[in-house]
Amino acid sequence: MKRFLAIVLALMLVLSLGAVAFADEETAEEEVVLEYPMSDDGVMVTVPLNSTYVGVFSAEGTYSDDGSVNYVDIEQVCYVLPETYSVGDTVLVHVSGSAEDSVRLFMVNSDGWSRASAITVINPGDFDLWLEIIVADDEGKGVTETNQLNFKGSSYGVNIPNLTITTLEVFSGTIDDYTAAGGVNCSLTGHTITEYVSNNDATCTEDGTKTGVCSVCGEEETVTDEGTATGHSFTNYVSNNDATCTEDGTLTAECDNGCGKTDTITDEGTATGHNYEKGVCANCGAEDPDYSSFPTTAVIIFAVVVIVIAAVVILVAVLNMKKKK
């Protein structure tokens, strides 16, 4: 009987150990191993925006097929980064999306309760930021390391009303380290455009534009095509028929380029001169400074003199006739 009990106990012990081993094995199989893919440039590491990668501060989000996530009315949410960083390390973070209100972004330590970097404020609207974040014990709470990036409301007690994150990528090092490692991103280095094509939109007074395509990202960039303003062109002048007796008239032309600008110039030599009739210009009414009424007056005086002389002669003749009688 004792031997039988011993065998039973031995079997129970073996079964118990097997059950524990099986449970441990099952737990190990259920343990999630986070996998971080490389970003498109082959240098940064992408943090997938889904619930698997959400850290100690989680929030319910709406995940899209394009890989983005949207959060509405949440206190905060953080994401687990691909590495653990020590105080003094620099992490280059690329984050893009849109925010309805200001959002604070900062590192938190592994348990999430202590801030592990300075705060970056993301302003409302669309954003596409490249941030050099230095791990630090900013609050003096003894932070030594971090592996989580936290998004939090604009101030204490204020929830995030609407936040969409479309990109979250990280690189261990500075911007200089990133570019030295072969990272090329137009947000940091500017577009690489070797040829611009005119848009043929110059006007008489404004330079036109030209557009080029970035060989790195394919984005179009349009810039001012300096010095391409055409200037006005006036060739078809038409008389305004406004010459006077003493002033030349004018000619007016519209710009040949069709901008509506007009140009008026003097129509040299078109002054008509006065047309005097009896001492007065028939065109403008000006008096002729050379006109005089003297010839008519002289005739009258001459006629008077003749009449007077004739009268004297007649009078003398009459007196002589009277004396002879």
Side-chain angles (χ1 to χ4, degrees), residues 14 17 23 45 75 98 104 126 133 138 157 181 210 292 306 316 319:
V14 169
L17 292 174
V45 178
E75 181 180 354
S98 63
R104 292 178 295 163
D126 294 337
I133 299 179
D138 275 12
K210 56 185 179 180
S292 174
V306 170
V316 171
L319 291 175

Side-chain angles (χ1 to χ4, degrees), residues 67-224:
S68 64
V69 60
N70 175 250
Y71 295 105
V72 177
D73 193 27
I74 64 168
E75 181 180 354
Q76 59 187 322
V77 63
C78 62
Y79 280 89
V80 178
L81 302 180
E83 296 182 35
T84 297
Y85 306 96
S86 300
V87 169
D89 289 345
T90 298
V91 184
L92 179 61
V93 176
H94 176 212
V95 58
S96 66
S98 63
E100 187 175 302
D101 194 5
S102 297
V103 176
R104 292 178 295 163
L105 180 149
F106 50 88
M107 296 281 196
V108 291
N109 66 340
S110 299
D111 63 17
W113 293 106
S114 298
R115 184 158 56 84
S117 75
I119 294 173
T120 296
V121 176
I122 299 176
N123 294 321
D126 294 337
F127 59 87
D128 188 358
L129 305 174
W130 289 79
L131 309 170
E132 283 187 346
I133 299 179
I134 300 175
V135 179
D137 185 18
D138 275 12
E139 297 176 307
K141 294 183 178 179
V143 171
T144 59
E145 62 180 26
T146 177
N147 69 342
Q148 300 188 51
L149 186 68
N150 191 41
F151 297 83
K152 194 172 176 64
S154 59
S155 61
Y156 182 77
V158 176
N159 281 4
I160 299 174
N162 195 333
L163 170 66
T164 297
I165 309 172
T166 58
T167 304
L168 183 57
E169 300 171 338
V170 294
F171 172 82
S172 298
T174 64
I175 291 175
D176 290 341
D177 295 333
Y178 168 74
T179 55
V184 178
N185 187 281
C186 299
S187 298
L188 297 176
T189 61
H191 294 298
T192 302
I193 300 175
T194 57
E195 181 180 5
Y196 288 89
V197 178
S198 173
N199 294 312
N200 297 313
D201 54 357
T203 68
C204 297
T205 57
E206 299 290 336
D207 289 334
T209 60
K210 56 185 179 180
T211 299
V213 179
C214 178
S215 60
V216 175
C217 68
E219 183 175 337
E220 289 187 351
E221 180 180 72
T222 298
V223 298
T224 300

Side-chain angles (χ1 to χ4, degrees), residues 9-76:
L9 289 174
L11 287 173
M12 292 178 63
L13 179 61
V14 169
L15 289 174
S16 298
L17 292 174
V20 171
F22 177 80
D24 289 341
E25 182 179 352
E26 187 176 36
T27 302
E29 288 178 355
E30 292 179 354
E31 184 179 351
V32 176
V33 178
L34 301 181
E35 296 182 358
Y36 296 83
M38 297 300 293
S39 63
D40 292 339
D41 65 4
V43 178
M44 299 197 82
V45 178
T46 298
V47 178
L49 298 170
N50 59 56
S51 59
T52 302
Y53 293 82
V54 170
V56 64
F57 295 120
S58 62
E60 184 176 349
T62 301
Y63 303 98
S64 301
D65 293 338
D66 62 4
S68 64
V69 60
N70 175 250
Y71 295 105
V72 177
D73 193 27
I74 64 168
E75 181 180 354
Q76 59 187 322

